[in-house]
Amino acid sequence: MGEPVAGRYLIRTFGCQMNEHDSERIAGLLDSEGFARADEARDAEVVVLNTCAIRENADRRLYGALGHLKPLKDRNPRMRIVVAGCLAQKDGGTVRARAPWVDVVIGTHALPGLLDMIRAAERDGPQTDVREFTEVFPSALPARRESRHHAWVSVSVGCDNRCTFCIVPLVRGPQRSRSLGDVLAEVQAHARDGVVEVTLLGQNVNTYGRDLTVPGSGRRSRFAELLRAVDGVEGIRRIRFTSPHPHDFTDDVISAMAECRHVCEHIHFPLQSGSDRVLRAMQRSYRSERYLGWLERIRAAIPGVAVTTDVIVGFPGEREEDFADTLRVVAEARFDAAFTFQYSPRPGTPAAAYHEQIPKAVVQERFDRLVELQERISLERNSELVGRRVELLVEGTGRKGNLKGRTRTNKLVHVDGAASAGSFVEAEIVAAHPHHLVGAAAGS
Ligand code: SF4
């Protein structure tokens, strides 16, 4: 209050929810220092690129963005350019070698020191910190949330698995869980602040607590306990989590989901491939039959649950018969939606060095077939909801002025009417499309 504004900042976020969560913390740190938000990079004294190493062409996007910033910085020498996130962690010193006009390179574990690094850059010149270990959870930092009614809450960082296509273990390190008390305190604070929906975040959220013991008991904390504890927080009406590994989706988590009133009926359950041979090469610890068995148990225990997935097409060595297995499993699983990816090698991962990389044209053709199948299934699944009444949490207004909201099963619904973001409305589903539904406001 009344603090002088230290300057303006702009954050560009590439990648996943974990990065969005970190960007909210970066914004919170800059706000706490008296910075104000800018709409354009040319008006900003601090520009942060929060990078992702998971998505395709991450390098190209980062250096493209840095190329655009260079002339702005030449015109405004006060501008400080910060590269944060997974690519900063992975590439460390090489970022400045390729773009010497960058002032701060800050890895995923060093975020709490951001303000000190910006100050040190002003004083002493460029700074790099890509330490290997998280000491302070990003969630413990002040945040400027993008939404008033929803909050990301990080419960663990890092991952102990070694999926051969994935860069996460390299850039986020081994799993480290946050204590249940800390998570709960944060959720309670959000609830007092008017948040009604939280998404618990972790790279492998359901191994939460494997590295913690319950105080006074000597046994491990468990994700199911965390879900039950968060379910008891007054004011929180929806609880989501992402992402789980199918292998660790244990019965106690299924029971907690079934029994906790506020835990939403939606599971993101990454399949990655329907071929056992490819799953082995990916170092995914389950096989397709086991996966389908888990799915059956989940659906039996949680009526109306929506299941979404990730599938990678064209993993090195994937043959036509492997891809046929993926199509078969996808058809059998009847996912509500799938995030489909064309495999592309991530430097530093084991799979990037595998022989038998699949030609782009073959990958594209398989990808198109998979998308066509999944769109058909998504439409069928969504059509099952026509005529049903659903509760929507309003997210805002769409381009045509209609309301946009989500069901507990995480389906996007467009509905006529007026209501503010964060409020709940009832609607009857009147039409279905593969990626969204149309509803009519229903009287209560
Ligand atoms: S479980 Fe997820 S985060 Fe961990 S290595 Fe595998 S894909 Fe990456």
Side-chain angles (χ1 to χ4, degrees):
M1 261 171 286
E3 289 277 310
V5 171
R8 299 225 247 159
Y9 70 87
L10 183 89
I11 302 173
R12 273 195 67 195
T13 309
F14 305 89
C16 65
Q17 290 99 336
M18 195 63 87
N19 271 22
E20 285 176 34
H21 168 272
D22 286 355
S23 286
E24 290 186 347
R25 268 62 201 176
I26 293 170
L29 282 169
L30 291 164
D31 284 355
S32 71
E33 187 74 355
F35 280 88
R37 208 192 277 225
D39 293 327
E40 306 271 354
R42 64 168 178 266
D43 301 326
E45 275 75 41
V46 174
V47 178
V48 182
L49 303 180
N50 193 11
T51 63
C52 173
I54 298 178
R55 296 290 154 88
E56 201 171 358
N57 300 324
D59 283 48
R60 202 167 50 80
R61 294 179 66 194
L62 169 65
Y63 292 103
L66 286 173
H68 284 119
L69 289 175
K70 172 129 192 348
L72 298 182
K73 176 152 175 151
D74 288 342
R75 282 200 291 277
N76 175 11
R78 280 197 65 210
M79 179 187 279
R80 299 287 164 252
I81 300 177
V82 179
V83 177
C86 292
L87 210 55
Q89 183 73 35
K90 185 168 89 61
D91 289 356
T94 61
V95 174
R96 286 208 69 256
R98 289 179 66 177
W101 56 96
V102 169
D103 299 280
V104 173
V105 178
I106 183 165
T108 50
H109 305 289
L111 217 50
L114 175 67
L115 295 174
D116 288 340
M117 288 181 75
I118 293 174
R119 282 190 284 261
E122 306 245 335
R123 215 179 39 235
D124 311 323
Q127 303 288 315
T128 298
D129 187 343
V130 288
R131 71 184 65 191
E132 299 278 316
F133 196 68
T134 299
E135 279 143 32
V136 179
F137 262 89
S139 276
L141 302 172
R144 181 197 181 110
R145 290 199 326 273
E146 289 302 316
S147 155
R148 289 195 62 74
H149 65 271
H150 172 266
W152 306 106
V153 177
S154 136
V155 303
S156 63
V157 289
C159 182
D160 297 331
N161 291 318
R162 290 287 178 272
C163 304
T164 55
F165 54 82
C166 181
I167 196 80
V168 163
L170 200 71
V171 292
R172 298 268 178 178
Q175 174 172 297
R176 193 144 170 262
S177 305
R178 218 173 150 204
S179 80
L180 197 146
D182 276 6
V183 174
L184 213 51
E186 186 186 341
V187 175
Q188 284 160 344
H190 286 315
R192 283 194 297 275
D193 213 22
V195 165
V196 290
E197 180 183 63
V198 289
T199 305
L200 308 178
L201 277 182
Q203 254 91 33
N204 184 10
V205 77
N206 45 353
T207 51
Y208 165 81
R210 198 147 76 176
D211 51 326
L212 290 179
T213 42
V214 177
S217 81
R219 71 178 176 81
R220 301 227 169 112
S221 297
R222 302 188 65 91
F223 185 58
E225 283 173 311
L226 181 71
L227 278 182
R228 289 181 191 278
V230 174
D231 190 52
V233 176
E234 179 97 31
I236 298 298
R237 287 180 56 178
R238 288 187 174 187
I239 301 163
R240 303 187 183 281
F241 57 87
T242 196
S243 294
H245 188 297
H247 177 83
D248 301 304
F249 215 94
T250 44
D251 282 343
D252 61 339
V253 175
I254 300 176
S255 306
M257 286 191 72
E259 290 160 24
C260 291
R261 220 176 114 211
H262 303 112
V263 177
C264 292
E265 297 81 13
H266 170 227
I267 295 179
H268 188 66
F269 206 57
L271 169 67
Q272 307 301 9
S273 172
S275 154
D276 290 349
R277 205 177 66 81
V278 172
L279 286 171
R280 208 170 296 121
M282 288 175 164
Q283 256 171 239
R284 301 285 286 181
S285 49
Y286 52 87
R287 301 295 169 254
S288 58
E289 283 315 302
R290 195 137 175 245
Y291 178 96
L292 289 168
W294 285 325
L295 210 53
E296 215 175 289
R297 279 217 316 271
I298 290 168
R299 285 184 167 141
I302 309 168
V305 69
V307 181
T308 54
T309 199
D310 296 327
V311 183
I312 298 172
V313 179
F315 187 79
E318 183 191 76
R319 302 179 190 138
E320 181 53 34
E321 58 264 33
D322 296 311
F323 180 65
D325 280 340
T326 295
L327 290 180
R328 177 182 56 77
V329 174
V330 166
E332 210 167 311
R334 293 185 50 74
F335 298 112
D336 291 83
F339 297 91
T340 44
F341 301 93
Q342 300 190 14
Y343 175 80
S344 73
R346 302 290 180 272
T349 59
Y354 286 178
H355 299 301
E356 276 197 84
Q357 300 284 332
I358 312 292
K360 170 87 181 125
V362 175
V363 179
Q364 183 69 50
E365 189 274 333
R366 288 180 188 165
F367 179 82
D368 292 344
R369 274 190 282 159
L370 175 64
V371 169
E372 194 186 323
L373 170 66
Q374 183 55 48
E375 297 251 316
R376 183 161 50 74
I377 297 169
S378 294
L379 179 58
E380 286 167 9
R381 300 284 296 170
N382 283 349
S383 299
E384 290 163 15
L385 293 176
V386 173
R388 298 263 291 276
R389 192 173 164 139
V390 291
E391 177 202 69
L392 301 177
L393 173 55
V394 175
E395 292 186 341
T397 33
R399 263 178 293 138
K400 293 179 189 154
N402 52 344
L403 289 181
K404 279 190 317 183
R406 285 199 184 259
T407 62
R408 284 175 60 97
T409 52
N410 208 29
K411 299 199 184 244
L412 180 65
V413 182
H414 294 272
V415 60
D416 286 337
S420 52
S423 56
F424 289 87
V425 297
E426 295 278 326
E428 185 183 316
I429 302 300
V430 295
H433 300 274
H435 301 287
H436 75 278
L437 294 150
V438 180
S444 47

